[in-house]
Amino acid sequence: MSFDLLIKNATLPDGRTGMDIGCAGGKIVAVEAGIAAEAGRTLDAGGKLVAPPFVDVHFHMDATLSLGLPRMNESGTLLEGIALWGELKPLLTIEAVVERALRYCDLAVSQGLLAVRSHVDVCDDRLTGVEALLEVRRRVAPYLDLQLVAFPQDGFYRSPNAEKNLIRALDMGVEVVGGIPHFERTMEDGARSVTALCELAAERGLMVDMHCDETDDPLSRHIETLSYETRRLGLQGRVAGSHLTSMHSMDNYYVSKLLPLMAEAGVHAIANPLINIALQGRHDTYPKRRGQTRVPEMRAHGINVAFGHDCVMDPWYSLGSGDMLEVAHMALHVAQMTSREAMRYCFECITTHPATIMGLEGYGLAPGCNADFNLLQADDAIEAIRLKAARLAVVRRGRVIAQTAPRVSQLSLDGRPDSVDASAYAPRA
Ligand code: FE2
């Protein structure tokens, strides 16, 4: 047998070492130790980690890289961010949004991030963001899977044309139904919006992903309605609740009732740790709430959890780098998920779990999957998170599409080694 690409001596996320991965025709065709075959290109992994590509299941690509336009968010709150975005929206052009989004996708690919679900604001009668991101989706398709969510940023009922525009966006080819129930005028309107949007998704056979309860108000309980409607309409496995930060502040008794309802409905949960550790708790003095949803508890109930990046250099967040390892790094700190086993789980929250939510076909490292993966300068998933490891090679459909030189520091110390490779400090078994 001959391969287009052969990876030698890789460690896999499940702990197998010394593995070879043979790729042909854009697919993985063999994963085993000691493959001896011809290959168009052979890469020696040197015992380092080969993992499936990173997946960001919650992002805003219409706003990315717009930091400072037209001004900065002074309070650092979600609400000022929404107001600031409202000032920027009338100034957007399709060309400018496309250019910024494509630049972000370049950054994403360089970080081994090859699938993104982006919300796109539909509360703009021109649908500038929708037109721009549909164009971006077409242009990046050879190297990045971009999935779009019709997102009524200013409220499905609160914004005058949101309902009409959201349907226009779906008709244009946006594939997921979004929502923002906690931003509607009343709790009742929020609940009604959840019902209406889930019914719309059921009618059209679409997935749902709502910004849900992104607030410190423990009485914001739209996730309850979302779970109820998911089950009532038979949408199990096709619905995600994003953010869910109010759960951080909820009464423990109520949460003990809520989590089984979410599990029963097969609702996915998406935490956005960088953003919510920065945005939440802004009205607190001390102690300040962390504002991340209850990840270990949802995990214990069998709910599928993923971590999203949400924002990079936009009205809500001035930082961000397209690096999902940075996202997982923050998440495990905020959730105090520091056992070896829990840290490995956090790696899955930026790879396999979000791939399930997006419904990505051919994702994974088994024979028959797409030949998409990253070679990381780390011995295992924990080291990858600890070091935010260099992406030595990013592979898409069997072709190396990005490479980064190994990070090795040169030392000038008498009697000490002349270089340090931080990835060689993993604990030895
Ligand atoms: Fe978001």
Side-chain angles (χ1 to χ4, degrees), residues 58-60 78 119 151 153 180 210-211 214 242-243 272 275-276 309-311 314 316:
H58 189 110
F59 196 63
H60 295 263
L78 171 70
H119 294 255
F151 175 46
Q153 170 76 74
I180 185 165
M210 286 194 197
H211 284 65
E214 189 182 6
S242 280
H243 294 288
N272 296 298
I275 302 313
N276 289 127
H309 203 319
D310 201 4
C311 300
D314 70 8
W316 296 274

Side-chain angles (χ1 to χ4, degrees), residues 340-402:
R340 309 290 296 171
E341 174 274 330
M343 288 194 283
R344 280 190 284 272
Y345 171 87
C346 289
F347 191 83
E348 293 169 4
C349 290
I350 53 171
T351 51
T352 51
H353 297 181
T356 298
I357 298 175
M358 285 183 68
L360 293 178
E361 289 176 8
Y363 182 89
L365 287 182
C369 293
N370 292 326
D372 299 355
F373 45 80
N374 295 322
L375 170 59
L376 300 159
Q377 191 186 357
D379 287 355
D380 61 23
I382 296 170
E383 289 302 288
I385 294 175
R386 182 175 75 86
L387 297 168
K388 297 170 208 90
R391 284 65 168 168
L392 301 175
V394 178
V395 174
R396 169 88 167 180
R397 305 296 192 261
R399 194 167 73 85
V400 177
I401 58 170

Side-chain angles (χ1 to χ4, degrees), residues 165-212:
N165 290 343
L166 187 142
I167 289 169
R168 280 172 61 207
L170 297 179
D171 289 341
M172 288 164 71
V174 171
E175 58 262 79
V176 184
V177 176
I180 185 165
H182 56 275
F183 195 69
E184 303 293 349
R185 289 191 178 87
T186 62
M187 289 291 179
E188 291 74 15
D189 273 6
R192 282 200 306 122
S193 78
V194 171
T195 300
L197 289 160
C198 286
E199 287 178 350
L200 184 61
E203 273 166 31
R204 291 178 172 240
L206 299 176
M207 293 185 282
V208 175
D209 187 340
M210 286 194 197
H211 284 65
C212 195

Side-chain angles (χ1 to χ4, degrees), residues 54 273-274 292 307-309 323-335 337 342-351 381 384-386 388:
F54 298 116
L274 292 169
Q292 179 167 282
F307 302 146
H309 203 319
D323 182 355
M324 294 307 293
L325 289 169
E326 184 185 358
V327 173
H329 192 267
M330 177 61 80
L332 78 82
H333 281 80
V334 177
M337 295 177 74
M343 288 194 283
R344 280 190 284 272
Y345 171 87
C346 289
F347 191 83
E348 293 169 4
C349 290
I350 53 171
T351 51
I385 294 175
R386 182 175 75 86
K388 297 170 208 90

Side-chain angles (χ1 to χ4, degrees), residues 130-171:
V130 173
E131 288 217 25
L133 293 193
L134 286 170
E135 168 68 9
V136 171
R137 186 177 74 183
R138 190 183 62 73
R139 286 171 61 174
V140 302
Y143 53 88
L144 187 145
D145 296 307
L146 178 59
Q147 190 177 71
L148 300 176
V149 185
F151 175 46
Q153 170 76 74
D154 300 328
F156 184 63
Y157 291 131
R158 191 169 167 182
S159 173
N161 295 325
E163 183 168 3
K164 194 175 68 186
N165 290 343
L166 187 142
I167 289 169
R168 280 172 61 207
L170 297 179
D171 289 341

